[in-house]
Every structure is written in structure tokens, then in C-alpha cells.
Amino acid sequence: MKTNPGRFFEDYTLGEVIAHAVPRTLAEGERALYHALYPARHALYSSDAFAADCGLEGSPLDDLIVFHTVFGKTVPDISLNAIANLGYGDGRWLGAVYPGDTLRAQSQVIGLKQNSNGQSGVVYVRTQGLNQRDEVVLDYVRWVMVRKNRDTPAPQTVIPDLPDVVTPDRLVIPAGLDFSDYDFALAGERHRWSDYAIGEQIDHIDGVTMEEAEHMLATRLWQNTAKVHFDATHREDGRRLIYGGHIISTARALSFNGLANAQMMVALNAGAHANPCFAGDTLRAWSQVLDKVETSAPGVGAIRLRLVAYKHGAKPFALREKDGKYDPSVLLELDYWALIPL
Amino acid sequence: MKTNPGRFFEDYTLGEVIAHAVPRTLAEGERALYHALYPARHALYSSDAFAADCGLEGSPLDDLIVFHTVFGKTVPDISLNAIANLGYGDGRWLGAVYPGDTLRAQSQVIGLKQNSNGQSGVVYVRTQGLNQRDEVVLDYVRWVMVRKNRDTPAPQTVIPDLPDVVTPDRLVIPAGLDFSDYDFALAGERHRWSDYAIGEQIDHIDGVTMEEAEHMLATRLWQNTAKVHFDATHREDGRRLIYGGHIISTARALSFNGLANAQMMVALNAGAHANPCFAGDTLRAWSQVLDKVETSAPGVGAIRLRLVAYKHGAKPFALREKDGKYDPSVLLELDYWALIPL
Amino acid sequence: MKTNPGRFFEDYTLGEVIAHAVPRTLAEGERALYHALYPARHALYSSDAFAADCGLEGSPLDDLIVFHTVFGKTVPDISLNAIANLGYGDGRWLGAVYPGDTLRAQSQVIGLKQNSNGQSGVVYVRTQGLNQRDEVVLDYVRWVMVRKNRDTPAPQTVIPDLPDVVTPDRLVIPAGLDFSDYDFALAGERHRWSDYAIGEQIDHIDGVTMEEAEHMLATRLWQNTAKVHFDATHREDGRRLIYGGHIISTARALSFNGLANAQMMVALNAGAHANPCFAGDTLRAWSQVLDKVETSAPGVGAIRLRLVAYKHGAKPFALREKDGKYDPSVLLELDYWALIPL
């Protein structure tokens, strides 16, 4: 058979490195589409002049463009036969990506655990995105539940020891970043690092109603090929599941309203897609401040945020039910570090 | 509260200048999206070679890309709590914008009038769009009806004295523009300045059926954040109101068929959104020639046009009912000057 | 009347050359949109670095971007009053198109045949796409059935003698193309020229459910103005017909899964749109290998493929019924040559 059947649980070997296919040059077109697909307004990613005033060579591509592009490359090898995308962790952006850069991706299998039913298992991979100079620009761990296809013996269980959070000493600040002369008026809000308190919750107020054409355009743009997003005949209920990354980008863009100065994502501590989302749902978001640290870069602080996307109808700030399960309205919980002016 | 509540009528002071947030670099991506979102075919904005033959350095970004980008920046400060966008006037494009340019916007409050019910008032602002060299590229007046939030005394009523039309001596022709060797075959129609008669009406024939995904992509692209365009739960009827600028661009693009040589918009004399438009509506357009003048640039004439967008079902050329109200089918009336080869 | 009524059958003269309007500069924005609109993953069109490793100056614009742009320019002159787009033949891509290039189009009438009912006729045109250096980058024949408007005498019947297939000696390989060091892992599949057998059929497995917003964005992007794609009031059934080129691009992109290395389209031997497609249909595709030849370029083979798009519900590999008519599920049959590493 010439087509890609995807891999099954028994096809992964601990330690193997998978080079993902189809490198991608990203340019001004992807930036414009990102602004059309999401209500993105962080000034550093909107204006070359603003970014230059912050010490960068120009406006980088949104950190989530990098994330989605790298993630999309992994789908044919990692999650084509996935039952569930279970989580993300220990992720870091290691260098800015500019229009004209070309990205490729590779993943190493760092953990395997067959489920007790023998029908599936969990695969842990550490994925890296590299640019045309072979510099690693993104590094994160993802784990997915994958179907078994053959009745093979279970591999030895190895569960990687992942940190709950990327410790501040491991955050990588883009070279040259300087928020000393940061223009709060141009950025859109006056709130700086010192204005946020640990534990503080922010309701981002705005909502976006999901459309089939929009989530499909977005998911395709990142060359993500998972059938369930595009083919209405794939699920029994005839619905197309919205790519989790579309939820991440929508929620992160909505978080501008209240966190306009949390400019750059530098670490992905943890992330989970709590419930499925479909066209017609209206998505809202709230954030909570989990931690704050200063950094060595001039004027640059780091803020650790919990970003939660939820469906209209619920109230903000709900997260889990008493039994620990996610509230049925919650679509996404994302724990990340962002850079913000002191 | 960290999020932006928007301003209310009592928050505006006569003469104050508001610097709007989030500068934006526009490039080839925005140009491509404009062509995907609208049936735009004016050759000067489609081909670098054609624009160079007309004396420009390359194909500028569509004048309405500039308008929407500047307008979008004003929304969080001017119209987040608007009840109605009442009108535009005294608008001029003052310089071409090219891919790579960065725009920002500022507005001055030039008029205030509290409504007799004490619940709302009209705010008049003069808005300017500026590029990265601080050159003003767009200047126009807009007035909106804004809710009051507190029981404050009415401000002194000041209504700005706006001209009904931008007089020809105030039109700014882009430096270098020369239509002496204009290629009518490449441009798509043979009709020149002298072929149009004052009073002449043109039915632009074509129609476009509106889609939720399309108007949302467009509105987001200009970083316009008004909730009513994106959130189906915002209005009681569950409908998303289409951004008036989407109507302007659709109608202007449709007007190519009959006015293919009315290449550049240089002044916005007046404009009003007559009725709301929703997904599923089919939009049509007609134009009327209101005036004609020659200009000092070689081969360049100016034509003053009334552009009317209306909903399918009505006949072209309807505008107002006997009582002076807009016909219920009319969505937009726009009065502008365009440059056209003599 | 100032608007374009389109041409009718009696308006075409054998041998006349029609210069189509509105030249178009294509850039990174059109490339990004192509990736958003179609699940396109051929590495040569995705990565500048990959294309450079294959001897090109960078990643060219997808061959179908060139085709659609040129085709779109012909619509106002050729098919505005068309009853049916009957077929394509003898098509060749003659040079790569890169971001920043400007395309225009011209057609020569090479055949005319009035139908026996006297109400319509078939017009054959040879269309050329030219870049800003007046180099022909695309050349193909199309024939359409066009309405008559006046009761004129039938012209002499001339049916051009078209080859069933572009013979391999006429294929033009882009200057510099070299697949000697082709990276199959990066390209996404290991199958090379020698792995495909004449007669072999490939089911491309994946499916895409069509959306109004997506086909309209695509069709508008190529400045194709045919009313039937955009205006839901145009057909009696209130449906918008999807532009045939949207089907071609969707099917070609789906064919990546099984033909990832069939990188460049170099000839269009024949093509027909078998049945109409509407939003809501789920499109699938299969291919059959029709022929194979080596070329003079290092490491470069050519493969002749039949690409068939069909609607979900039917099985793959159906094409025609016993009476020779297309199976009702078939949307497109396209016969083309592609370049593939030996």
C-alpha cells in the first residue's frame, strides 16, 4: 500500500528518533492568516516597529504559529491512529522564528505504557522544531493514546519523569529582548508585571463562535492531516472535531484583553484538551496568575499563567468538578510562562 | 479590572487626543487575503508591473485595507459601547501604503452632543492613520452614538462644521501618479473619465452571498474587536452583525464591473450604514456619478461617486423612501472621490 | 452599458487573440492561502530549503496557483456566458513562477462549432499565461459551450486537432531541476519512480467536506468572477456551484497520500469536470498510473497519472458506467504528467 496507514502502538520503540516529513517555509502570508483566524493583537507580533523597539530584528512569527507548524508535522507519525491527545509538558520556545525561516520537526520516543486492556497504549514523545540552520526553536513533550493493531507483547513500561513546571532558570529569553522602553500605550494596556498578583483571576470577557471553514483553514495551514478535523463522514455523529490547537490560539488571542503585555510565550508547562469542541460552540477564556519571576533581560519579567478555554453557557473560573474531572464546559487548560515588562 | 470596559459618553472630553493601541505591519499576506475576501480586481492594486507603469513604486495596499486597519485600531477606544455608527465625513487618503509599512492610529474628539434622553450621546472624532515615518496616510471624521454609564451633567454641545464634500483642491494625488500611458485593455474596461456623465447610474450586476466565516476573517484581519461581529450569543437574536467595512469592501470590489478604471480612492465625502447585514444575505451594488474634475497629475481625472450596497430582492437605484429614510434594502451609501484616467 | 455582458458564441472569430485583463502579482500571501485552502504538502512547494536542494532558486508557487490565476483571467472573456466547461487538453507548464512574479493571460480562438440547435456553440481557445518578462509559463487548450445571443449564421466548423497526450519529448523540465540527492524522508514517502507500475491504482484515503466560505475564498483569490460560484440567487435551486479548479486542487493535494513524490505538474493531457459539486459534499480522490518515462534531467522521471475526484458514498476506482457516461459520483477526471525522483 502506498498510502500512510499511520503507526500503531506496537510500532514505537523506546529511544527511536522519528524525522517528520515536509519542511515548511513560513512568511508574511502565514502571519496575515494568523491575524485573520484569531483575534491576535499582541503588539510584538503585530508591528515590526514595536518589535524593533523591544530589541528584536523585527516582528517574529507568533509562538503558536511555530507550535502548530511543528505539531502538524508530527501528526502523520504520532497521532494518525491516536484515540486521544492526552497532554503536553516540559515545553520551551528556544529562539524566535522570522518570516522566511524554514521549519522541520523530529521526535524521540521517551516513554511507552501499554494499557491493561491490551488494545492500546500511551506513547510519550519529545518533539523538536528546527530551523534551516538546524537550531532548535521549540522543544516539548506530548503523550497520546494510540491503538494497537497486532497482538504483540507489551513493551517494558517507561514513563518519563517530567517536571510539573519549567523552572525559571530554564526559560530562554530571545537574544536582545529589552523591555526598558516598552510603550504601554501602543501595546494596549497599562498593566505591567508588578500589577499582577499570584492567584489573580482574569475573565477575558470576549467570545468567538466557531465556524467549520475557520477551523479547517487553520488546521490545514499547519499541514495537520488528522482526518477527524476535515471529513464529516469520519465520526459517526457527522461532526468535525476542532483541532485542539485552534482552541489554544483562540483562547490565547482572547487573553489579550487583560493580559495585553504578556507578549511572548517561552514555556509550556502543561496542557490538556479537556473536552471536544465543535462548530457552533462559542468559546470564552479566563486566566489565572500562577507565579511570577524576574529575568536577567532588561525590563523583562516572566509570568506563569493558567489559560482556560470554556464553552459559553458556563461561568468563568470553573475548572474541575469535585471528583477531579474537568467541568464539562472546559475545553482547554494550558499552563505557560510568558514574558511581560517589569 | 484588567480588561477594557470601553469608554462611555461621559468619558470623552472635547479636544482630547487618544492614541490607539497595537501598531500593525501590513504586507503581501494582507494583500492576498484582501483578494480572497473580496472580488477585487482594480489593476493598480493587483499588479506591481501595472502600478509601476502608472508611476508608483509598486502596487500599493488597497485604500480600504488602510481604512479598515486604522478603523479597527479605534474600536476599543471609540465604539466598544457604541449603539450606532452614525456616519463618516471629510475623509482623505494622503499617501500610498506599501507592503512592509506599519500603521498606527490616533483620534481627536472634535464634537460632543448628549441626547435629550440623557442615556447616550454622539461623539465626533477626527481619526488619523500614520505610518512608521509618522506621515499621516489617512484622515477622516466619524461620529458614533455611545451609551452613558453614569449620571453626569451633559457637556456643552459642540457639533463640528464638516464639509458636505471634500473640495477638489483638497484631493491629494499620490506622488508620481501618471495615467498618460494607461493600459485600458490590461485594466479591464475601456471607459475613461470622459465617458462618464454626471448623474449617470451604473448597476454593477454581480452579487455575493455573505458567509459567517468570511466576514469574521475579514473583521479579525483588521483587529476590529467589536463583540457583535464574532459572538453569536451577544445579540438576543443570536445573529452576528456583519462589520460595515466588509460591506464597503464588497460593494467597492463589485463596482469594478462598470468602474474598473476608478482606480484609487482619494476622499471619503460621506458614508452611512443604512441597515444591518447578516450571513445569508446576498449583496449587490450600484453607483452614481456625482461630479467630475480634472487634476494636476498627468492624465489623471477625479470622479465623485455614490456607491450603494443593497440586499438582493430590491431593484437597483432605490435609495430613500418618501419620508427620507433609507429604503429597507439599502445597506450602505458611500460618497467618495476616485482617480480615473482622463 | 458600462458593465461586461460577456461574449456570446457569435462574438468569437477564428484566429482572434484576446488579451485578458487585470495582471496579478503573486507572492507569499497566495502561497500561504493555498496551504490554508488545500491539504497541500508536496515538499518542493512547502520549503525553500527543500526546493534549493533540488536545484531551484527557492520554492516556486504551486503549479495550480499558476493555472487558477491564468484561468481566472480568462473567465470574463471566455466563460461568462458558458453553459458548460467541456474540457482541457494539450496543457504544459513551461517555467516556474516565484513569489513576486506578475502574471497576465491571453487566449487565441482555435476552434468553433455551432450546435445543431442553433442556440449555442463550442469555442476552443488556446490560453497562455505570461510573466512580467513576457515568458510563457503556462499554455493549454480549453473548450466551453457558450450561449448564442443573436440569430447569426453558423461559422465554419473548425475543430482543432489536439493530441490525446502531451508526448514526453514536449515536457519542459524547469531549468536546474536535479533529484539526484532527493531526500525521501523529508518529502514524506519512500516511493520513487521505479516503485510505481503502469496500471497501478491508488486510493488516497482522506476526505474533505466542502464549505461555502472555503470555495468562495479560493475562487475569488484567482479573480474568477463567474456569478454561479458566489451568488446563491443565481441558480434556481439556490445553490452555489463550486469552481472546478477548487476540485482539482483539493484532489491533487489529497493525492499526496500515496504520491508524495510526484512533485511538479508539467503537463495537463486532458481534463473534464464530470459532475457538479456543492458545499456539504465530501470529496475523495484516487489515482491511476497511466505511463512512465525517464527525462534528461538528473534523477528526474516523469509519471503520467489519472486523478479522479469523487463524492463520498461511492467506492474508489469507479469512473464510467457501461454506456460510457461518468459515474454519478465522479466529479473530476484529470490526466497529467508529474515529475518524480527516479
Side-chain angles (χ1 to χ4, degrees), chain B residues 176-199:
Chain B
L177 191 72
D178 183 341
F179 283 162
S180 306
D181 293 318
Y182 188 91
D183 188 329
F184 288 84
L186 266 188
E189 285 179 358
R190 66 180 190 280
H191 323 300
R192 55 173 74 228
W193 185 85
S194 53
D195 294 320
Y196 291 92
I198 294 175

Side-chain angles (χ1 to χ4, degrees), chain B residues 28-29 31-33 35-43 46-50 59 184-191 195-197 200 202-211 213-214 217 256-259 282 284 312, chain C residues 1-5 19-31 33 37 72-73 76 80 100 102-105 132 211-225 227 230-234 240:
Chain B
E28 283 85 357
R31 174 151 69 180
L33 270 161
H35 280 102
L37 290 162
Y38 305 108
R41 290 191 288 149
H42 289 93
S46 178
S47 164
D48 281 340
F50 190 95
S59 183
F184 288 84
L186 266 188
E189 285 179 358
R190 66 180 190 280
H191 323 300
D195 294 320
Y196 291 92
E200 180 177 355
I202 300 157
D203 174 5
H204 299 301
I205 300 178
D206 302 312
V208 177
T209 305
M210 298 284 109
E211 291 292 322
E214 292 190 345
L217 286 167
F256 177 92
N257 200 349
L259 281 164
T282 296
R284 300 186 180 283
H312 176 81
Chain C
M1 196 168 68
K2 291 277 193 322
T3 50
N4 177 22
H20 305 299
V22 190
R24 171 72 171 276
T25 302
L26 298 165
E28 282 85 357
E30 282 77 10
R31 175 152 68 181
L33 270 161
L37 290 162
K73 311 243 142 292
L80 212 60
T102 298
L103 298 188
R104 61 186 178 86
Q132 70 277 17
E211 290 292 321
E212 300 285 13
E214 292 190 346
H215 78 80
M216 286 169 62
L217 287 167
T219 309
R220 238 185 251 115
L221 184 59
W222 320 124
Q223 298 177 312
N224 179 329
T225 58
K227 295 173 174 62
F230 302 107
D231 180 349
T233 71
H234 193 68
R240 280 164 275 180

Side-chain angles (χ1 to χ4, degrees), chain C residues 108-190:
Chain C
Q108 182 168 33
V109 179
I110 62 167
L112 290 169
K113 180 184 181 301
Q114 182 162 315
N115 288 332
S116 54
N117 64 11
Q119 307 294 305
S120 58
V122 179
V123 180
Y124 296 79
V125 291
R126 177 172 289 282
T127 295
Q128 294 187 314
L130 301 99
N131 67 16
Q132 70 277 17
R133 294 179 297 274
D134 288 331
E135 297 159 349
V136 180
V137 295
L138 176 68
D139 182 300
Y140 68 95
V141 173
R142 173 161 80 117
W143 51 107
V144 292
M145 191 184 296
V146 180
R147 262 187 289 275
K148 285 196 76 169
N149 194 34
R150 288 168 289 140
D151 185 17
T152 56
Q156 194 191 343
T157 293
V158 174
I159 297 177
D161 188 24
L162 295 177
D164 290 336
V165 60
V166 175
T167 49
D169 57 294
R170 294 178 63 225
L171 299 179
V172 175
I173 316 294
L177 191 71
D178 183 341
F179 283 162
S180 306
D181 293 319
Y182 188 91
D183 189 329
F184 288 86
L186 267 187
E189 285 179 1
R190 66 179 190 281

Side-chain angles (χ1 to χ4, degrees), chain A residues 45-231:
Chain A
Y45 299 90
S46 177
S47 163
D48 282 340
F50 190 95
D53 288 344
C54 293
L56 301 182
E57 62 181 77
S59 183
L61 294 171
D62 196 285
D63 308 304
L64 290 172
I65 292 181
V66 176
F67 180 79
H68 297 322
T69 300
V70 170
F71 182 98
K73 311 246 142 291
T74 71
V75 167
D77 299 314
I78 306 298
S79 45
L80 213 59
N81 297 310
I83 300 164
N85 192 21
L86 298 173
Y88 311 103
D90 197 29
R92 294 185 298 158
W93 282 266
L94 300 169
V97 174
Y98 291 97
D101 284 352
T102 299
L103 298 188
R104 60 186 179 86
Q106 62 188 30
S107 298
Q108 183 168 31
V109 180
I110 60 167
L112 290 170
K113 180 183 181 303
Q114 184 163 312
N115 288 332
S116 54
N117 64 11
Q119 307 293 304
S120 58
V122 178
V123 180
Y124 297 79
V125 291
R126 178 172 289 281
T127 296
Q128 294 187 314
L130 301 99
N131 68 15
Q132 70 276 17
R133 292 180 298 275
D134 289 330
E135 297 160 349
V136 179
V137 295
L138 176 68
D139 182 302
Y140 68 96
V141 172
R142 172 161 80 117
W143 51 106
V144 292
M145 190 183 298
V146 181
R147 262 187 289 277
K148 285 196 74 169
N149 195 34
R150 286 169 290 142
D151 185 17
T152 55
Q156 193 190 345
T157 292
V158 175
I159 297 177
D161 188 25
L162 296 175
D164 290 337
V165 60
V166 175
T167 49
D169 56 296
R170 294 179 62 225
L171 299 179
V172 175
I173 315 295
L177 191 72
D178 182 343
F179 283 162
S180 306
D181 293 319
Y182 188 91
D183 188 329
F184 288 86
L186 267 188
E189 285 180 358
R190 65 181 191 281
H191 323 301
R192 55 173 73 228
W193 185 84
S194 53
D195 294 321
Y196 291 92
I198 294 176
E200 179 176 357
Q201 290 180 317
I202 301 158
D203 173 6
H204 298 301
I205 299 179
D206 303 312
V208 178
T209 304
M210 299 283 109
E211 290 293 321
E212 299 284 14
E214 293 190 346
H215 76 80
M216 286 169 61
L217 287 167
T219 308
R220 238 184 251 118
L221 184 60
W222 320 122
Q223 298 177 311
N224 180 329
T225 59
K227 295 173 175 61
V228 74
H229 307 313
F230 302 107
D231 181 349

Side-chain angles (χ1 to χ4, degrees), chain C residues 8-25:
Chain C
F8 294 91
F9 180 70
E10 65 272 19
D11 297 324
Y12 295 93
T13 307
L14 194 72
E16 77 172 310
V17 174
I18 302 169
H20 305 299
V22 190
R24 171 72 171 276
T25 302

Side-chain angles (χ1 to χ4, degrees), chain A residues 2-4 21-25 27 29-30 33 76 102 212-213 216-217 220-221 223 225 227 230-233 240, chain C residues 32 35-41 46-48 185-186 188 191 195-196 200 203 205-206 209 211 214 257 282 284 312:
Chain A
K2 293 280 197 315
T3 50
N4 177 22
V22 190
R24 173 70 171 277
T25 303
E30 282 77 9
L33 270 162
T102 299
E212 299 284 14
M216 286 169 61
L217 287 167
R220 238 184 251 118
L221 184 60
Q223 298 177 311
T225 59
K227 295 173 175 61
F230 302 107
D231 181 349
T233 71
R240 279 165 276 181
Chain C
H35 280 102
L37 290 162
Y38 305 109
R41 290 191 289 149
S46 178
S47 163
D48 282 341
L186 267 187
H191 322 301
D195 293 320
Y196 291 92
E200 181 176 357
D203 173 5
I205 299 178
D206 303 313
T209 304
E211 290 292 321
E214 292 190 346
N257 200 349
T282 296
R284 300 186 180 284
H312 177 81

